[in-house]
Coordinates of all heavy atoms in Angstrom, one line a residue:
Chain A
Q1559 N -39.7 7.3 25.6 CA -39.4 6.1 24.7 C -38.9 5.0 25.7 O -38.0 5.2 26.5 CB -38.3 6.4 23.7 CG -38.6 7.5 22.6 CD -39.3 6.9 21.5 OE1 -39.3 5.7 21.3 NE2 -40.1 7.7 20.8
P1560 N -39.4 3.8 25.5 CA -38.9 2.7 26.3 C -37.5 2.3 25.8 O -37.3 2.1 24.6 CB -39.9 1.6 26.1 CG -40.5 1.9 24.8 CD -40.5 3.3 24.6
V1561 N -36.5 2.3 26.7 CA -35.1 1.9 26.2 C -34.9 0.6 27.1 O -35.0 0.6 28.3 CB -34.1 2.9 26.7 CG1 -32.8 2.4 26.3 CG2 -34.4 4.2 25.9
P1562 N -34.5 -0.5 26.5 CA -34.3 -1.8 27.2 C -33.2 -1.5 28.3 O -32.2 -0.9 27.9 CB -33.8 -2.7 26.1 CG -34.3 -2.1 24.8 CD -34.4 -0.7 25.1
Q1563 N -33.4 -2.0 29.4 CA -32.3 -2.0 30.4 C -31.0 -2.5 30.0 O -29.9 -2.0 30.3 CB -32.8 -2.7 31.7 CG -33.9 -2.0 32.4 CD -34.4 -2.9 33.6 OE1 -34.2 -4.0 33.5 NE2 -35.1 -2.2 34.5
Y1564 N -31.0 -3.6 29.3 CA -29.8 -4.2 28.8 C -28.9 -3.3 27.9 O -27.7 -3.1 28.1 CB -30.1 -5.5 28.0 CG -28.9 -6.3 27.8 CD1 -28.3 -7.0 28.8 CD2 -28.3 -6.4 26.5 CE1 -27.2 -7.8 28.6 CE2 -27.2 -7.2 26.2 CZ -26.6 -7.9 27.3 OH -25.5 -8.6 27.0
D1565 N -29.7 -2.5 27.0 CA -29.0 -1.6 26.2 C -28.3 -0.5 27.0 O -27.1 -0.1 26.8 CB -30.0 -0.9 25.2 CG -30.3 -1.9 24.1 OD1 -30.0 -3.1 24.3 OD2 -30.9 -1.5 23.1
L1566 N -29.0 -0.1 28.1 CA -28.4 1.0 29.0 C -27.2 0.4 29.6 O -26.2 1.1 29.7 CB -29.4 1.3 30.0 CG -30.6 2.3 29.6 CD1 -31.6 2.5 30.7 CD2 -30.0 3.6 29.1
L1567 N -27.3 -0.9 30.0 CA -26.1 -1.5 30.6 C -24.9 -1.4 29.7 O -23.7 -1.1 30.1 CB -26.4 -2.9 31.0 CG -25.1 -3.7 31.5 CD1 -24.8 -3.3 32.9 CD2 -25.2 -5.2 31.4
L1568 N -25.1 -1.8 28.4 CA -24.1 -1.7 27.3 C -23.6 -0.3 27.2 O -22.3 -0.1 27.0 CB -24.6 -2.2 26.0 CG -24.9 -3.7 26.0 CD1 -25.2 -4.1 24.6 CD2 -23.7 -4.6 26.5
I1569 N -24.5 0.7 27.2 CA -24.0 2.1 27.0 C -23.0 2.5 28.1 O -22.1 3.2 27.9 CB -25.2 3.0 26.9 CG1 -26.0 2.8 25.7 CG2 -24.9 4.5 27.1 CD1 -27.3 3.4 25.6
V1570 N -23.4 2.0 29.3 CA -22.5 2.2 30.4 C -21.1 1.5 30.4 O -20.0 2.0 30.6 CB -23.1 1.9 31.8 CG1 -22.2 2.2 33.0 CG2 -24.4 2.8 31.9
L1571 N -21.2 0.2 29.9 CA -20.1 -0.7 29.9 C -19.1 -0.2 28.9 O -17.8 -0.3 29.2 CB -20.6 -2.0 29.6 CG -19.8 -3.3 30.2 CD1 -19.6 -3.1 31.7 CD2 -20.4 -4.6 29.8
A1572 N -19.4 0.2 27.7 CA -18.5 0.5 26.7 C -17.5 1.6 27.1 O -16.2 1.3 27.0 CB -19.2 0.9 25.4
P1573 N -17.9 2.7 27.6 CA -16.9 3.7 28.1 C -16.0 3.2 29.2 O -14.8 3.5 29.3 CB -17.8 4.8 28.6 CG -19.1 4.7 28.0 CD -19.3 3.2 27.8
I1574 N -16.6 2.2 30.0 CA -15.7 1.6 31.1 C -14.6 0.8 30.5 O -13.4 0.9 30.9 CB -16.6 0.8 32.0 CG1 -17.5 1.8 32.7 CG2 -15.7 0.0 33.1 CD1 -18.5 1.0 33.8
V1575 N -14.9 0.0 29.5 CA -14.0 -0.9 28.9 C -12.9 0.1 28.2 O -11.7 -0.2 28.2 CB -14.5 -1.8 27.9 CG1 -13.5 -2.5 27.0 CG2 -15.4 -2.9 28.6
L1576 N -13.4 1.1 27.6 CA -12.6 2.0 26.8 C -11.5 2.7 27.8 O -10.4 2.7 27.5 CB -13.4 3.1 26.2 CG -12.7 4.2 25.4 CD1 -12.2 3.7 24.1 CD2 -13.6 5.5 25.3
A1577 N -12.1 3.1 28.9 CA -11.3 3.8 29.8 C -10.2 2.8 30.4 O -9.0 3.2 30.5 CB -12.1 4.4 31.0
A1578 N -10.6 1.6 30.7 CA -9.7 0.6 31.2 C -8.6 0.4 30.2 O -7.4 0.3 30.5 CB -10.4 -0.7 31.5
M1579 N -8.9 0.2 28.8 CA -7.9 0.1 27.9 C -6.9 1.3 27.8 O -5.7 1.1 27.7 CB -8.6 0.0 26.5 CG -9.0 -1.5 26.1 SD -7.8 -2.7 26.3 CE -6.5 -2.2 25.0
W1580 N -7.5 2.4 27.9 CA -6.7 3.6 27.8 C -5.7 3.6 29.0 O -4.5 4.0 28.8 CB -7.5 4.8 27.9 CG -6.8 6.1 27.7 CD1 -6.3 6.6 26.6 CD2 -6.4 7.0 28.7 NE1 -5.5 7.7 26.8 CE2 -5.7 8.1 28.1 CE3 -6.7 7.1 30.1 CZ2 -5.2 9.1 28.8 CZ3 -6.1 8.1 30.8 CH2 -5.4 9.1 30.2
V1581 N -6.2 3.3 30.3 CA -5.3 3.3 31.4 C -4.2 2.3 31.2 O -3.1 2.5 31.5 CB -6.2 3.1 32.7 CG1 -5.2 2.7 33.8 CG2 -7.1 4.2 33.0
A1582 N -4.7 1.0 30.8 CA -3.8 -0.1 30.7 C -2.6 0.3 29.7 O -1.4 0.0 29.8 CB -4.4 -1.3 30.1
L1583 N -3.0 1.1 28.6 CA -1.9 1.3 27.5 C -1.1 2.5 27.9 O 0.1 2.6 27.5 CB -2.7 1.6 26.2 CG -3.0 0.3 25.4 CD1 -3.8 0.6 24.2 CD2 -1.7 -0.4 25.0
S1584 N -1.7 3.5 28.6 CA -0.9 4.7 28.8 C -0.4 4.9 30.3 O 0.5 5.7 30.4 CB -1.8 5.9 28.4 OG -2.9 6.1 29.3
R1585 N -0.9 4.1 31.2 CA -0.5 4.3 32.5 C 0.2 3.1 33.1 O 0.8 3.3 34.2 CB -1.7 4.7 33.4 CG -2.3 6.0 33.1 CD -1.4 7.1 33.7 NE -2.1 8.4 33.6 CZ -1.9 9.2 32.5 NH1 -1.1 8.7 31.5 NH2 -2.5 10.4 32.4
T1586 N 0.3 2.0 32.5 CA 1.0 0.8 33.1 C 2.2 0.5 32.4 O 2.4 1.0 31.2 CB 0.1 -0.4 33.0 OG1 -0.1 -0.8 31.7 CG2 -1.3 -0.2 33.7
R1587 N 3.0 -0.3 33.1 CA 4.3 -0.6 32.4 C 4.1 -1.5 31.2 O 4.7 -1.4 30.1 CB 5.2 -1.4 33.5 CG 6.6 -1.7 33.0 CD 7.3 -2.4 34.1 NE 8.2 -3.5 33.5 CZ 9.3 -3.2 32.9 NH1 9.7 -1.9 32.8 NH2 10.0 -4.1 32.4
W1588 N 3.1 -2.4 31.4 CA 2.7 -3.2 30.2 C 2.4 -2.5 29.0 O 2.8 -2.7 27.9 CB 1.6 -4.1 30.6 CG 1.0 -5.1 29.5 CD1 1.6 -6.3 29.2 CD2 -0.1 -4.9 28.7 NE1 1.0 -6.8 28.1 CE2 -0.1 -5.9 27.8 CE3 -1.0 -3.9 28.6 CZ2 -1.1 -6.1 26.9 CZ3 -2.0 -4.0 27.6 CH2 -2.0 -5.1 26.7
G1589 N 1.6 -1.4 29.2 CA 1.1 -0.6 28.1 C 2.3 0.1 27.5 O 2.4 0.2 26.3
L1590 N 3.3 0.6 28.4 CA 4.4 1.3 27.9 C 5.2 0.4 27.0 O 5.6 0.7 25.9 CB 5.3 1.7 29.1 CG 6.5 2.5 28.7 CD1 6.2 3.9 28.3 CD2 7.5 2.6 29.9
L1591 N 5.4 -0.9 27.4 CA 6.1 -1.9 26.7 C 5.5 -2.2 25.4 O 6.2 -2.3 24.3 CB 6.4 -3.2 27.4 CG 7.3 -3.0 28.7 CD1 7.3 -4.3 29.5 CD2 8.7 -2.6 28.3
V1592 N 4.2 -2.4 25.4 CA 3.5 -2.7 24.2 C 3.7 -1.5 23.1 O 4.0 -1.7 21.9 CB 1.9 -2.8 24.4 CG1 1.2 -2.8 23.1 CG2 1.7 -4.1 25.2
R1593 N 3.5 -0.2 23.6 CA 3.7 0.8 22.7 C 5.2 0.9 22.2 O 5.4 1.1 21.0 CB 3.3 2.2 23.4 CG 1.8 2.3 23.4 CD 1.4 3.6 24.1 NE 1.9 3.7 25.5 CZ 2.2 4.7 26.1 NH1 2.5 5.8 25.4 NH2 2.6 4.7 27.4
A1594 N 6.1 0.6 23.0 CA 7.5 0.7 22.6 C 7.7 -0.6 21.6 O 8.3 -0.2 20.5 CB 8.4 0.3 23.8
A1595 N 7.2 -1.7 21.8 CA 7.4 -2.8 20.8 C 6.7 -2.6 19.5 O 7.2 -3.0 18.5 CB 6.9 -4.1 21.5
T1596 N 5.5 -1.9 19.5 CA 4.9 -1.5 18.3 C 5.8 -0.6 17.4 O 5.9 -0.7 16.3 CB 3.5 -0.9 18.6 OG1 3.0 -1.3 19.7 CG2 2.6 -1.1 17.4
E1597 N 6.4 0.3 18.1 CA 7.3 1.3 17.4 C 8.5 0.7 16.9 O 8.9 0.8 15.7 CB 7.8 2.4 18.4 CG 6.6 3.4 18.9 CD 6.6 4.6 18.1 OE1 7.7 5.1 17.9 OE2 5.6 5.0 17.7

Side-chain angles (χ1 to χ4, degrees):
Chain A
Q1559 297 274 340
V1561 177
Q1563 285 172 340
Y1564 190 74
D1565 287 12
L1566 285 176
L1567 175 80
L1568 291 188
I1569 290 170
V1570 175
L1571 207 56
I1574 292 177
V1575 171
L1576 176 80
M1579 273 310 290
W1580 183 77
V1581 168
L1583 277 176
S1584 63
R1585 289 285 184 270
T1586 67
R1587 187 177 143 73
W1588 177 79
L1590 184 71
L1591 291 177
V1592 167
R1593 282 181 294 141
T1596 329
E1597 290 264 315

